C-alpha cells in the first residue's frame, strides 16, 4: 500500500489542474506519494511546490480514505489518500517533467476533460461532476 496526498486549489471559481505527463494519465489536481520519512502535510507542501511552483499557506483536510482500486506507475493498486483544500500563494510555474499543461479550469470545463480515474472519483465526491 502507498500513501498519497492531493491538493484541491481553487482560485476565483476555477480549479488548478495538471494534465499528467506520467501515468496514470489524465487531468488531475496536484497530487503525489508521501515519501518515506514525510507526514501528509510535508508531502502536500512538497507536491504543490514541485508540480505548480505554488506555496501552501493553509490547508484543510477534506477526505482521508483507503482506495483499493487506485493503481500507480510504481505497480501498487492500493492507496491511502489524504485530500486537502488548500490556499496558496505565488505564481503558477509549469513543471514539464510532471505535467503536459497546468491551468485553472471552471467546473463546467472539468466535466469535459479526460480525467485521471482517481480524480474522477474525487471530483464526484466534491460535487463537481
Amino acid at each position: 500500500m502507498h500513501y498519497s496526498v492531493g491538493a484541491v486549489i481553487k482560485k476565483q471559481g476555477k480549479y488548478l489542474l495538471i494534465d499528467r505527463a506520467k501515468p496514470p494519465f489524465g487531468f488531475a489536481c496536484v497530487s503525489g506519494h508521501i515519501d518515506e520519512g514525510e507526514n501528509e502535510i510535508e508531502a502536500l507542501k512538497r507536491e504543490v511546490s514541485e508540480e505548480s511552483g505554488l506555496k501552501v499557506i493553509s490547508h484543510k483536510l477534506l477526505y482521508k480514505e483507503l482506495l483499493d482500486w487506485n493503481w500507480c506507475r510504481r505497480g501498487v493498486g492500493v492507496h491511502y489518500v489524504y485530500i486537502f483544500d488548500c490556499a496558496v500563494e505565488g505564481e503558477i510555474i509549469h513543471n514539464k517533467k510532471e505535467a503536459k499543461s497546468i491551468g485553472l479550469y471552471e467546473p463546467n470545463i472539468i466535466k469535459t476533460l479526460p480525467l485521471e480515474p482517481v480524480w474522477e472519483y474525487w471530483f464526484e465526491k466534491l460535487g463537481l461532476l
Side-chain angles (χ1 to χ4, degrees):
M1 177 170 61
H2 285 170
Y3 293 84
S4 298
V5 294
V8 178
I9 299 169
K10 186 176 178 183
K11 289 188 172 199
Q12 301 170 337
K14 297 178 181 179
Y15 293 84
L16 182 68
L17 302 181
I18 64 170
D19 185 5
R20 294 206 170 281
K22 301 173 187 172
F25 295 113
F27 282 83
C29 287
V30 171
S31 54
H33 288 97
I34 299 172
D35 290 341
E36 191 173 330
E38 276 185 322
N39 65 38
E40 62 272 15
I41 304 305
E42 293 166 332
L44 175 72
K45 292 177 178 181
R46 177 184 50 76
E47 288 290 347
V48 169
S49 177
E50 285 176 3
E51 293 188 2
S52 71
L54 298 170
K55 179 181 178 182
V56 174
I57 55 174
S58 67
H59 52 81
K60 177 185 171 190
L61 181 65
L62 298 173
Y63 303 104
K64 57 181 178 177
E65 191 171 329
L66 177 70
L67 302 177
D68 63 2
W69 52 266
N70 179 223
W71 69 275
C72 69
R73 71 179 189 280
R74 295 181 185 176
V76 172
V78 178
H79 287 78
Y80 193 89
V81 184
Y82 299 85
I83 301 294
F84 293 91
D85 180 41
C86 296
V88 296
E89 65 183 8
E91 297 296 320
I92 296 170
I93 297 170
H94 180 193
N95 179 341
K96 293 180 182 176
K97 290 181 182 178
E98 298 287 340
K100 297 175 199 173
S101 65
I102 187 170
L104 294 165
Y105 296 86
E106 295 176 354
N108 63 325
I109 300 299
I110 293 172
K111 294 175 184 178
T112 69
L113 296 173
L115 300 172
E116 177 188 349
V118 74
W119 278 99
E120 185 172 347
Y121 173 78
W122 293 121
F123 290 147
E124 285 177 4
K125 285 191 82 142
L126 290 164
L128 295 173
L129 298 180

